Amino acid sequence: MTEAAVPGARRGGASVPSVGVVIVTRGRRPRLLRAAVRAVLTQEHPGDLELVIVVDHDPRDTPGDAVARVTAQLAPVLASPPGRPRPRILSNRRTPGLPGARNTGIAALGTDLVAFCDDDDEWLPGKLRAQVAALTARPGALFASCAIEVEYGARRSVRLAGTDTITAAALRRSRMVMVHSSTFLFRRSAFRVDESAPGGQNEDWDLALRAAAVRPIVHVDRPLVRVRWGGSDYATRWADRIAGLEWMLARHAELAVDPRGAARIYGQLAFLHAALGNRAHACRWAWRAAATRPGEPRAPLALAVAAGLISAHRVVNLLHARGHGV
């Protein structure tokens, strides 16, 4: 994992950088995966555009079987527009899980820029053109994001940042959900995903923090990615999320400096422990959250879950319906 201070050279001296897109999948959501692939292939981009689909195969499958299954699922959408290379489907050759699969995709590309899209999300028209323009308009910029449209059931909520620049301080103060992995566009030579993230948790937040520490993130504050929360079990993987937050606190000591940001993490840990039934841990983290920032809303919410007044799943569903997480 390295951070570069300068962008890589553009292919052939062209004025428009080439873009490589990495989609990681296990082939469990073929309909959504096809929509994600179709949305990438129909993006307007005057430069070279490549798509790599990395199959992070289930341990019960052989890599060949998993790739064959995903290839069959994608057969209706694999034809590229004229002048575009056919998408490639590869097996994860690195650490099993999302971070290793993303690094497999990055290594397979030779483009100037790399973009991610989750297999259950969808780029909206104009996403790539707007981000490439914003990134190239700022000399030395390395990383770009954009606003999102959160889809949960029949509801859609727009999440804006209210700025065109995301700093490391802003990402420490708030997780900023719109700085989402499916919005990432960055210089391929500059970054890799940290494969030590437990269960692949918070690898995107870690990457964004590292990027913003080198140069502020260029942000297009228009909803150009549809992020689907309903099809993922991420929010309720309580133990994995605890491990991911503890990993972030150990890796980024600066997260404990800003009282608002620190209290948010402590409150999340309180809620997650409450969801697992660890009442003592939930109470300790809730007290720490409230002591760090009086009025931190996750502290009483965690205590309510710990006391059995409301279920953690009910809380998550209510928040997701409003386009928010815990």
Side-chain angles (χ1 to χ4, degrees):
M1 289 82 60
T2 60
E3 279 77 43
V6 295
R10 291 171 181 168
R11 181 177 297 177
S15 60
V16 179
S18 54
V19 177
V21 184
V22 178
I23 296 179
V24 174
T25 188
R26 282 194 164 182
R28 294 173 177 169
R29 301 176 282 214
R31 180 182 63 82
L32 295 178
L33 174 60
R34 285 192 291 269
V37 169
R38 188 182 295 112
V40 168
L41 294 178
T42 54
Q43 288 288 311
E44 293 183 4
H45 177 61
D48 291 342
L49 177 64
E50 299 180 27
L51 172 59
V52 173
I53 299 147
V54 182
V55 182
D56 184 40
H57 66 92
D58 190 289
R60 293 169 293 184
D61 289 332
T62 67
D65 289 342
V67 168
R69 184 178 69 252
V70 170
T71 301
Q73 292 172 350
L74 290 175
V77 296
L78 281 182
S80 294
R84 302 287 193 204
R86 181 181 174 86
R88 288 177 286 160
I89 304 177
L90 310 173
S91 178
N92 181 9
R93 298 164 185 162
R94 298 178 63 93
T95 306
L98 184 58
R102 282 182 168 156
N103 283 340
T104 293
I106 294 172
L109 293 166
T111 52
D112 300 316
L113 306 178
V114 169
F116 293 156
C117 184
D118 289 357
D119 69 346
D120 57 342
D121 294 338
E122 186 175 344
W123 288 2
L124 301 179
K127 184 264 188 192
L128 197 55
R129 179 182 287 274
Q131 283 191 296
V132 170
L135 191 65
T136 56
R138 301 203 187 175
L142 300 174
F143 203 102
S145 60
C146 65
I148 62 174
E149 176 186 87
V150 176
E151 180 179 281
Y152 185 70
R155 299 192 181 198
R156 290 178 180 171
S157 306
V158 171
R159 298 299 305 274
L160 304 175
T163 181
D164 63 0
T165 302
I166 307 293
T167 64
L171 281 169
R172 291 192 296 266
R173 183 177 177 82
S174 168
R175 171 59 184 86
M176 302 192 74
V177 69
M178 70 293 301
V179 185
H180 185 280
S181 56
S182 291
T183 77
F184 289 1
L185 177 73
F186 57 93
R187 302 282 177 181
R188 184 182 61 85
S189 60
F191 304 100
R192 292 294 183 272
V193 182
D194 193 319
E195 296 180 30
S196 70
Q201 296 283 322
N202 290 318
E203 45 80 29
D204 51 348
W205 187 19
D206 167 73
L207 178 56
L209 272 170
R210 286 189 284 121
V214 178
R215 299 273 175 81
I217 293 172
V218 176
H219 183 77
V220 179
D221 208 28
R222 287 159 40 205
L224 297 172
V225 176
R226 180 169 298 141
V227 175
R228 295 186 173 96
W229 282 357
S232 173
D233 65 349
Y234 166 81
T236 56
R237 288 162 53 189
W238 315 121
D240 285 348
R241 291 188 63 189
I242 289 171
L245 287 174
E246 291 175 341
W247 179 77
M248 287 295 292
L249 287 172
R251 182 168 170 77
H252 297 277
E254 68 275 14
L255 289 174
V257 174
D258 185 290
R260 186 183 185 94
R264 177 181 59 82
I265 296 173
Y266 303 155
Q268 288 175 326
L269 285 166
F271 178 86
L272 296 170
H273 277 291
L276 284 174
N278 299 331
R279 296 181 65 180
H281 287 298
C283 291
R284 280 196 292 271
W285 280 112
W287 179 88
R288 188 171 180 182
T292 302
R293 181 199 172 208
E296 165 56 45
R298 293 165 187 83
L301 194 60
L303 294 176
V305 172
L309 300 179
I310 187 171
S311 74
H313 287 278
R314 176 64 174 160
V315 171
V316 169
N317 289 339
L318 289 171
L319 290 174
H320 280 188
R322 298 174 55 226
H324 291 265
V326 174

